[in-house]
Amino acid sequence: MDTTAVRFYTSIKKASENHGIKVLHDMGDEAYFHTDNQNFYFIMVRKGGNLFRMKVNKITKTTSLDAFYEIAKNISSAM
């Protein structure tokens, strides 16, 4: 396995832990969700040596958290 992806994922996750994260068990090998509940949604997923981040930078009344998760799950499944 590519340890670069593991190290990068671990580093970013550790930096976010004090700001509240939710570990996701249904995406990739490792994944977590982070939000401030006002401005952004963020997901990071690692699957093997691949890594992706997805972020909504401005939550509005039409932003769907369910759709955000579903898109991330689809990308993770395709990796």
Side-chain angles (χ1 to χ4, degrees):
M1 174 186 359
D2 182 353
T3 59
T4 302
V6 173
R7 283 195 313 266
F8 187 77
Y9 175 89
T10 302
S11 172
I12 299 297
K13 180 182 174 204
K14 185 175 181 175
S16 298
E17 284 178 337
N18 290 337
H19 303 288
I21 64 168
K22 177 183 175 187
V23 174
L24 305 174
H25 300 284
D26 58 348
M27 289 184 223
D29 297 324
E30 298 181 280
Y32 77 89
F33 171 76
H34 179 213
T35 185
D36 68 355
N37 294 312
Q38 293 179 330
N39 300 297
F40 72 91
Y41 295 148
F42 176 85
I43 287 180
M44 179 177 279
V45 179
R46 184 192 64 79
K47 188 172 181 181
N50 297 311
L51 185 72
F52 82 89
R53 295 176 282 183
M54 192 168 83
K55 185 175 183 186
V56 169
N57 284 317
K58 181 61 182 157
I59 298 171
T60 68
K61 64 181 179 179
T62 61
T63 305
S64 169
L65 181 56
D66 290 337
F68 184 70
Y69 275 137
E70 204 54 41
I71 291 166
K73 284 173 78 171
N74 289 340
I75 293 169
S76 176
S77 294
M79 291 171 71

